[in-house]
Amino acid sequence: MRRICIYPKDIARITGKSYRQSLRIYNTIKKIRGKQPHQLLSMEEVCEYLGLDKEQIKTVI
């Protein structure tokens, strides 16, 4: 079974940015989406924000 949630470490792996920058991106997406602190981000939400194809990200994760 594949994961459906994304963590800052995954964003760092996808974008090549540092963990700290990826954490900022992660929190920005959560803020835009109106998520609460305990809620996670889905792969679709991250793909939409970064403008990437979901299939491309699946190969990296």
Side-chain angles (χ1 to χ4, degrees):
M1 188 170 164
R2 309 273 302 172
R3 283 191 300 142
I4 58 170
C5 59
I6 299 287
Y7 297 99
K9 187 175 180 180
D10 298 323
I11 295 174
R13 215 178 292 152
I14 292 165
T15 61
K17 296 183 185 267
S18 70
Y19 178 80
R20 184 82 173 166
Q21 287 176 311
S22 299
L23 185 59
R24 286 187 191 122
I25 292 170
Y26 185 83
N27 288 328
T28 300
I29 298 170
K30 284 180 78 167
K31 187 176 181 181
I32 290 170
R33 293 285 184 173
K35 298 255 183 179
Q36 295 178 359
H38 69 277
Q39 294 177 316
L40 300 172
L41 290 178
S42 70
M43 189 179 299
E44 289 82 17
E45 292 168 331
V46 174
C47 289
E48 183 180 320
Y49 180 80
L50 294 176
L52 298 173
D53 185 37
K54 187 176 173 182
E55 296 303 318
Q56 292 174 325
I57 290 180
K58 281 184 180 180
T59 60
V60 177
I61 294 180

